[in-house]
Amino acid sequence: MTHLADLRAELFPAARPIGAEANGRNVQGEAVEEAAVAWVRVMKARVPAFDALEPGDLAVVPASALAVIAPTAEELGPLVAAFASTPVSGVLLVEGDSLASAAGARLDELQRALEAAGLAGLRLDPADPAAIERSVIGFIVGRSGELERQAAILEADLERRALAGEGAAAIVGTAAEFLARALALEGPRGEAVAVHAPATAVDAAPAVASYAAGRREGVVLRIPLPSGGAIAILGSRPPTDLERRSLGRAATLVALEMARDEAVRRASDSGGREALPSGGPPWVMVLARQRGLASDDDSPEARTSREQLRRELRLLAPARRLALRGDLDSLEFRLVVAARGSAADLELPNRIATVLARPIAVSRPFAAAVDRPTAEAETRSTLEAALALPDPPAVARADRLPAYRLMGALHNLPDGPRLAAAILAPILTGRADVQRERLQTLRAVLERGGINEAAEALGVHRNTVAYRLRRIEALTGWRLTDAELRLPLAVALRIVQEAQV
């Protein structure tokens, strides 16, 4: 069974409890037993305000709808009486965009009336009532699936911040705000790198004080980072399932950001003195897994095999075109290749992939030695995204990272629109009618199998379609004969066009 406390802990951690939910006691100070949440009903700005209201329902009251249903304080009494007589399992008060408005004032009056009646509830920041309803229903009928969806929402935001280069501390801060929980980012030796205490977490201040004092009770759980260190959940409350799932996903992103920050700092120290193949600029980074998780990674046979591969890689191109970094104990094969000025110059990377017989990732071209660590971090992210696919490409390109993440996130479509827009960004420019023409033409060609079929579907001459395709390829650098690109483009087109409708 689902109770209001479960919803607050797992779905709405930033919500403020009201009435009996605030302390588990009624106005007489007596302990109360929470009613199970049977279903959720959203108040509409019309009469009747609820399509139905049955015992155990959770009532969602948006401030905007309340201002229509109860424009004066006198009309709140019958509403509260209806909640009490049903009885509902609780009330969610959803604030409007402006607390200074009449709607916000009416919500305050309803909260006081609910507290006087001993009814339980939560007060939420401005949000879409339909999204709240969907989340609560998802939690009631499939708790695990809804928690995964919430964790995916946070993960998508963290990925966006990571791609924007906001840094590990900002990623942990975003997670702390989302979860309304004090968090600390710790380094490999347990040192505090950053501590975040969200204003919405009422226990954040004492939790941080306890952590700063070094008391054991200051940390309830540490989520290890793959590169060493941890994300520490502060306070005395037990960690929720949502916190465990969300921070488990965030740990990899945080570790990558910490590694990138450190690499950038090392590069800043060396400046332009870092030796790169003299055949550049531009250069590209190439990465592949050198060591797996097998127990024999350090056996003599494994080391001999790795050394043989490294020798074969060095023979693929002269030193002015290729430099092999790291050593036998590195987790990855890391190569710097002098490119020929184009992200599509994959001749040497393809040969590297053939020799290694495993997926590799290639960065976008860079022109300064100080940019190498950033290119390496970008390539590492690309490799991880490609390896997560059911059928990884032999050569994964960093300029297609959104495509790999989109294909890997098809099971999690809430993240689809952002990645689809990133893939199609090169053609989503110019006038709106030009954008629509490009999208329609591209989708017709990808879904109809050929230019003739696409022309028939669009009602234009085949030469018109061919001309449009040449313009799209010139604008984007895409080659629509590339099988690796056709499917992500087709999926992204469908997502973007459905969103436009």
Side-chain angles (χ1 to χ4, degrees):
M1 291 190 297
T2 299
H3 296 86
L4 197 59
D6 300 323
L7 297 178
R8 181 190 175 201
E10 302 289 2
L11 290 188
F12 310 116
R16 284 92 66 199
I18 62 174
E21 170 59 14
N23 53 21
R25 297 182 179 276
N26 59 21
V27 290
Q28 289 78 33
E30 301 167 336
V32 295
E33 182 179 352
E34 273 197 292
V37 178
W39 203 243
V40 58
R41 311 286 180 179
V42 178
M43 172 186 278
K44 305 296 194 300
R46 53 155 170 80
V47 177
F50 293 95
D51 295 327
L53 202 58
E54 300 175 355
D57 282 347
L58 179 70
V60 178
V61 180
S64 56
L66 181 64
V68 174
I69 298 302
T72 65
E74 291 74 19
E75 294 167 293
L76 293 176
L79 180 62
V80 175
F83 289 154
S85 62
T86 299
V88 297
S89 57
V91 183
L92 298 186
L93 304 183
V94 185
E95 294 178 356
D97 293 333
S98 174
L99 295 181
S101 66
R106 192 68 63 245
L107 206 65
D108 293 336
E109 293 170 352
L110 177 58
Q111 177 176 333
R112 290 191 289 270
L114 292 172
E115 290 172 340
L119 293 174
L122 298 173
R123 186 152 178 169
L124 281 62
D125 290 332
D128 179 9
I132 294 173
E133 179 184 30
R134 183 170 61 248
S135 295
V136 175
I137 292 175
F139 191 82
I140 293 172
V141 302
R143 175 189 178 111
S144 180
E146 180 58 28
L147 291 181
E148 283 296 319
R149 193 177 77 87
Q150 293 293 326
I153 291 172
L154 174 60
E155 184 181 27
D157 189 21
L158 299 185
E159 285 182 352
R160 179 181 62 79
R161 293 177 182 277
L163 289 172
E166 294 188 13
I171 289 177
V172 175
T174 300
E177 293 292 340
F178 182 88
L179 298 169
R181 187 70 183 250
L183 300 177
L185 173 60
E186 298 180 338
R189 297 179 180 83
E191 70 278 13
V193 177
V195 178
H196 295 274
T200 51
V202 295
D203 60 348
V208 171
S210 182
Y211 177 73
R215 291 192 289 270
R216 182 181 301 177
E217 62 271 19
V219 176
V220 293
L221 182 67
R222 283 185 169 89
I223 309 294
L225 302 180
S227 58
I231 301 174
I233 303 178
L234 308 184
S236 57
R237 287 184 286 125
T240 65
D241 287 345
L242 178 61
E243 290 167 352
R244 292 178 184 272
R245 294 173 191 237
S246 299
L247 296 179
R249 293 182 176 208
T252 300
L253 284 172
V254 171
L256 287 172
E257 283 300 288
M258 292 180 72
R260 185 173 75 95
D261 291 346
E262 179 61 25
V264 170
R265 284 194 294 269
R266 289 200 303 267
S268 298
D269 292 340
S270 60
R273 298 188 298 275
E274 185 172 13
L276 296 175
S278 60
W283 299 278
V284 294
M285 282 296 304
V286 176
L287 264 77
R289 290 279 176 82
Q290 176 168 255
R291 302 178 64 187
L293 300 177
S295 59
D296 65 344
D297 265 348
D298 287 315
S299 67
E301 294 80 6
R303 295 181 68 83
T304 300
S305 175
R306 292 200 297 271
E307 181 54 43
Q308 177 61 30
L309 281 174
R310 296 178 71 84
R311 281 197 295 268
E312 292 181 28
L313 291 175
R314 293 187 189 98
L315 294 174
L316 287 177
R320 61 181 178 81
R321 284 214 62 203
L322 184 148
L324 181 59
R325 303 174 62 83
D327 55 30
L328 285 180
D329 296 316
S330 300
L331 295 178
E332 301 149 331
F333 291 102
R334 292 179 293 140
L335 305 98
V336 183
V337 173
R340 294 192 174 96
S342 170
D345 177 23
L346 299 177
E347 177 262 333
L348 186 50
N350 276 321
R351 289 162 56 196
I352 293 171
T354 301
V355 167
L356 293 177
R358 68 195 69 182
I360 69 169
V362 183
S363 74
R364 288 174 290 189
F366 61 96
V370 72
D371 294 330
R372 186 204 57 76
T374 301
E376 183 174 318
E378 173 187 64
T379 313
R380 187 171 290 109
S381 297
T382 302
L383 182 62
E384 294 298 327
L387 291 175
L389 298 176
D391 185 21
V395 179
R397 294 168 44 174
D399 60 341
R400 295 184 180 178
L401 177 57
Y404 304 137
R405 284 188 166 149
L406 173 62
M407 298 306 295
L410 285 181
H411 67 285
N412 171 33
L413 286 182
D415 198 32
R418 179 179 65 84
L419 296 174
I423 293 173
L424 298 176
I427 62 173
L428 297 177
T429 59
R431 301 196 317 269
D433 60 326
V434 174
Q435 293 183 35
R436 285 194 296 272
E437 179 183 279
R438 292 170 184 161
L439 292 172
Q440 291 168 355
T441 302
L442 195 54
R443 183 168 179 179
V445 171
L446 292 174
E447 294 186 353
R448 296 292 193 291
I451 291 180
N452 290 334
E453 294 82 356
E456 181 179 353
L458 294 171
V460 298
H461 194 274
R462 70 180 309 278
N463 290 346
T464 301
V465 175
Y467 171 77
R468 292 178 183 175
L469 289 182
R470 287 195 299 270
R471 294 291 301 272
I472 290 173
E473 290 185 335
L475 177 66
T476 63
W478 299 337
R479 290 295 174 264
L480 299 181
T481 55
D482 186 344
E484 181 186 335
L485 193 58
R486 287 176 67 90
L487 179 57
L489 280 175
V491 174
L493 283 163
R494 185 175 293 272
I495 291 174
V496 167
Q497 287 197 312
E498 288 178 354
Q500 290 178 342
V501 173

